[in-house]
Amino acid sequence: MTRLDQWRQQFSQCHKTRKHDQVKVLAQLINDPPHELWGPELSIEQSQGLGCWLDGCARMYQHHLEQAELEAAYSYLCLAQGRLEQVISRAEVDQNIRLCCCRRLEQVMVLIVEFCKKQHGKAWRAELSNQIESHIKFLTLYPLNEAPIPVLKPSRGTNKSA
C-alpha cells in the first residue's frame, strides 16, 4: 500500500465520522499530504486524493468560520490557492491534472473574493484587490483554459494493406 493510499484511508475515516474533535487530525492530513498528490502522474488515486485534500481545506475553512476565527479560515483558502497554483505552474505535471487544478483554483478564488468582500476595513479591501491582481497575472502566465490534446499511441496490430 502506497503512502497516498494510506493517506486517503485516513482521510476517508475522518470524513466518515465528521466529528468536530477531529479538526487536529484533519489539519495534520491537510498539512502533510503525500508528495504523489501533486503529480506529476495522473492516476485515479491521485485524482481522488486531490479531491479529498480540497474537501479537507473547505471543511477547515468552514470550521474556523463557525468559530469566528477569520484569519485561520482565510489561511485554508490561501493554502488551497497556493498549492493549486504550484501544481498548475509545474510543466512536468500531467496536463489533465493541471487543467483540473485550474478549474478548482477558479472555485477557490470565488471563495476568496466572497470572503474578502464580507470583511470590513481597508486591509481587507487591499487584500481583495491584491488577490484579484495576482490571479489575473497568474492566469496570463499559465493560460490553461484549453482541453488537453490526447496522446495517441500507435495501435499494436497496424494493418499496412492499402
Side-chain angles (χ1 to χ4, degrees):
M1 181 178 283
T2 67
R3 182 163 184 265
L4 180 57
D5 291 331
Q6 291 172 341
W7 182 86
R8 284 180 49 232
Q9 276 187 344
Q10 289 175 310
F11 200 96
S12 179
Q13 187 60 34
C14 193
H15 187 72
K16 285 177 187 174
T17 55
R18 287 191 179 254
K19 293 182 180 175
H20 68 280
D21 62 344
Q22 291 185 321
V23 171
K24 288 182 182 181
V25 173
L26 187 56
Q28 184 178 9
L29 290 169
I30 291 168
N31 291 312
D32 189 27
H35 181 71
E36 311 93 280
L37 187 63
W38 314 115
E41 300 297 320
L42 176 65
S43 70
I44 292 170
E45 295 79 14
Q46 180 277 333
S47 180
Q48 290 173 345
L50 185 58
C52 288
W53 186 84
L54 286 167
D55 179 67
C57 286
R59 287 173 58 190
M60 292 299 291
Y61 164 72
Q62 191 61 43
H63 167 77
H64 288 295
L65 270 184
E66 290 168 1
Q67 301 299 314
E69 299 168 343
L70 300 180
E71 292 291 332
Y74 187 64
S75 72
Y76 278 96
L77 293 179
C78 292
L79 176 63
Q81 175 192 25
R83 285 292 197 151
L84 291 170
E85 287 177 349
Q86 179 188 32
V87 173
I88 293 166
S89 67
R90 291 176 44 217
E92 74 275 11
V93 173
D94 183 279
Q95 179 81 356
N96 289 303
I97 295 173
R98 294 171 69 209
L99 286 168
C100 176
C101 287
C102 194
R103 286 188 296 272
R104 290 176 175 185
L105 176 61
E106 292 302 320
Q107 295 167 344
V108 170
M109 288 307 301
V110 168
L111 290 174
I112 286 173
V113 168
E114 288 175 352
F115 179 87
C116 289
K117 281 184 174 182
K118 289 179 183 176
Q119 307 314 309
H120 302 288
K122 290 180 182 179
W124 284 110
R125 284 194 300 273
E127 179 66 14
L128 174 60
S129 180
N130 289 337
Q131 282 285 0
I132 292 170
E133 276 184 44
S134 297
H135 187 62
I136 291 169
K137 287 177 185 176
F138 183 82
L139 290 178
T140 59
L141 291 173
Y142 302 98
L144 293 174
N145 296 328
E146 300 170 15
I149 299 170
V151 177
L152 301 177
K153 297 179 181 176
S155 104
R156 292 183 185 171
T158 54
N159 187 354
K160 295 187 179 185
S161 61

